[in-house]
Amino acid sequence: MNKQPIGIFDSGVGGTSIWKEIHTLLPFENTIYLADSINAPYGPKGEERIKELCIKNTELLLNKNCKLIVVACNTATTNAIDYLRANYTIPFIGIEPAIKPAALQTKTNAIGILATKGTLSSKLFHKTTNLFGSGINIIEQEGEGIVQLIETGKLYSDEMKGLLNIYLKPMIEANIDHLVLGCTHYPYLMPILLEILPKHFKIIDSGEAVAKQTKAILEKHQLLCTQHTKSTHQFCTNVNPKVMTELLDGNYHVEYLEF
Ligand code: DGL
């Protein structure tokens, strides 16, 4: 039995999509979530700055006695997880765009990937596409502006629909049959994507896989909370909590914390 919390961080509110998957699979685990929204988006910041921000978030979660940290951000994972694993002793779970399942399942030999600049330009992303994408037409698209719109409460806006129409058009024209969501903010786009994309498209994100990996690593390190009592969840943001509260359907208190 281990009641220490799982720490989760993202550049903002997007990682709550990962938190939901983790909470569904591991309902008795206590969690602490950090939304570093004041520094969002991480995507255009460059590797060194992203690493610095990840260190800041990690130190805070360690001070809060977390037993494992989920880096619920593709951009942070692809730029900083090797550094974090090399410099801290607790286990880290990362998230990467699900290129592998898309590449294995495509029938049209064309897949689309929507992610941030920081993810698409990272060494880890290139390694994964080289490993699984040979012979497949991979249409990469930077989702510039999407994270900011979600962070500012403009998820269901005309501006968002306009951006997505522009970003997805070349993918539709290239006859992709799988769209990989390479950013943890993007699962919140699902209702809009379903409106825009042809019905046969498969949309893939890595949320469920991250939750399963979290469970496996907790088991491996004997860190799982085996006591079946009600779990507690602390959500912290360094901006106005309104947007995050809405994404959590008003079910949880979100506190303002300077970090
Ligand atoms: N949720 C982050 C990700 O998965 C967004 C990155 C950003 O802030 O640019 O990449």
Side-chain angles (χ1 to χ4, degrees):
M1 177 201 339
N2 188 315
K3 297 190 81 173
Q4 280 173 269
I6 296 174
I8 304 172
F9 75 81
D10 178 36
S11 62
V13 295
T16 53
S17 65
I18 305 301
W19 175 86
K20 287 176 187 174
E21 299 280 357
I22 291 172
H23 182 53
T24 302
L25 188 66
L26 299 165
F28 303 113
E29 291 292 333
N30 300 319
T31 64
I32 300 179
Y33 182 98
L34 296 185
D36 190 15
S37 293
I38 204 160
N39 290 302
Y42 279 10
K45 286 194 159 58
E47 190 177 319
E48 278 318 301
R49 180 66 184 137
I50 294 171
K51 262 190 211 155
E52 277 170 26
L53 294 167
C54 290
I55 292 167
K56 167 186 71 93
N57 300 332
T58 297
E59 296 283 342
L60 180 51
L61 289 172
L62 290 177
N63 283 339
K64 287 180 175 285
N65 199 27
C66 290
K67 60 184 172 185
L68 168 147
I69 292 180
V70 179
V71 181
C73 175
N74 292 259
T75 313
T77 300
T78 50
N79 285 272
I81 199 134
D82 290 345
Y83 177 90
L84 296 174
R85 286 187 175 134
N87 286 278
Y88 296 95
T89 50
I90 63 160
F92 284 87
I93 309 292
I95 179 162
E96 277 186 75
I99 298 287
K100 185 181 170 185
L104 291 176
Q105 289 162 27
T106 178
K107 301 260 183 316
T108 59
N109 247 11
I111 64 172
I113 155 97
L114 190 61
T116 70
K117 183 178 173 186
T119 295
L120 295 175
S121 61
S122 67
K123 289 184 209 101
L124 197 54
F125 178 74
H126 286 133
K127 207 170 130 191
T128 312
T129 43
N130 286 338
L131 203 59
F132 302 109
S134 79
I136 289 168
N137 186 13
I138 302 181
I139 315 288
E140 294 176 17
Q141 175 64 56
E142 183 189 331
E144 198 185 345
I146 296 177
V147 168
Q148 293 95 313
L149 286 176
I150 295 174
E151 288 290 327
T152 50
K154 295 182 195 132
L155 174 56
Y156 298 112
S157 60
D158 289 343
E159 216 176 330
M160 182 70 90
K161 275 191 192 154
L163 278 185
L164 288 174
N165 270 308
I166 295 169
Y167 294 161
L168 298 171
K169 195 163 172 267
M171 298 192 189
I172 297 171
E173 284 170 359
N175 197 27
I176 67 157
D177 57 357
H178 285 72
L179 171 65
V180 178
L181 301 182
C183 170
T184 56
H185 283 70
Y186 298 172
Y188 286 113
L189 302 172
M190 204 55 131
I192 315 172
L193 294 173
L194 292 175
E195 251 176 51
I196 297 176
L197 293 171
K199 294 279 165 289
H200 68 279
F201 270 44
K202 207 162 169 220
I203 303 170
I204 307 192
D205 71 70
S206 320
E208 204 186 323
V210 169
K212 284 185 182 158
Q213 179 69 356
T214 303
K215 184 172 182 220
I217 297 297
L218 286 174
E219 274 168 353
K220 184 176 162 205
H221 293 270
Q222 294 176 338
L223 290 172
L224 212 53
C225 178
T226 48
Q227 198 179 45
H228 290 188
T229 50
K230 196 170 162 24
S231 49
T232 61
H233 307 283
Q234 193 183 356
F235 291 94
C236 306
T237 174
N238 47 20
V239 300
N240 187 323
K242 187 171 176 286
V243 172
M244 189 147 135
T245 307
E246 279 170 11
L247 288 179
L248 293 168
D249 301 319
N251 291 332
Y252 295 91
H253 171 70
V254 180
E255 71 186 74
Y256 172 79
L257 183 75
E258 217 169 297
F259 64 95

